[in-house]
Amino acid sequence: DKSYLFGDLNNDGKYTAADSMFIRLIVAEMDKPEQNINYTAADVNGDGKCTAADVMYIRRLVAELISPEELPVNMQ
């Protein structure tokens, strides 16, 4: 069992603008180490890294354009 939800970067059990902000900071390499961010949950397309594609998916998740059940997205 995994103890996190894909896309829920701050582990609060919700998909919010905060998750979207955190993924953008990660991709821009501006994340702050003092923040408790789940990097595993940030990789929503399952490619092993945090990229602009993950930003797109998390923004769609927050906007409820995709459902949590669709994650992780396997792009291979």
Side-chain angles (χ1 to χ4, degrees):
D1 284 330
K2 63 180 177 136
S3 59
Y4 62 90
L5 301 170
F6 280 103
D8 180 21
L9 279 61
N10 59 357
N11 292 314
D12 67 356
K14 302 178 272 186
Y15 302 107
T16 65
D19 299 306
S20 181
M21 177 193 66
F22 288 135
I23 187 65
R24 289 188 311 242
L25 290 173
I26 291 168
V27 171
E29 298 179 354
M30 296 173 61
D31 66 313
K32 298 180 174 118
E34 68 270 8
Q35 294 180 359
N36 186 19
I37 296 174
N38 185 336
Y39 288 88
T40 304
D43 179 24
V44 295
N45 69 353
D47 68 354
K49 52 194 170 206
C50 293
T51 65
D54 298 301
V55 173
M56 178 196 65
Y57 285 117
I58 291 175
R59 290 182 78 182
R60 294 187 71 186
L61 180 64
V62 170
E64 298 180 355
L65 298 173
I66 61 173
S67 70
E69 293 77 24
E70 296 179 65
L71 301 175
V73 176
N74 187 350
M75 298 181 63
Q76 297 179 19

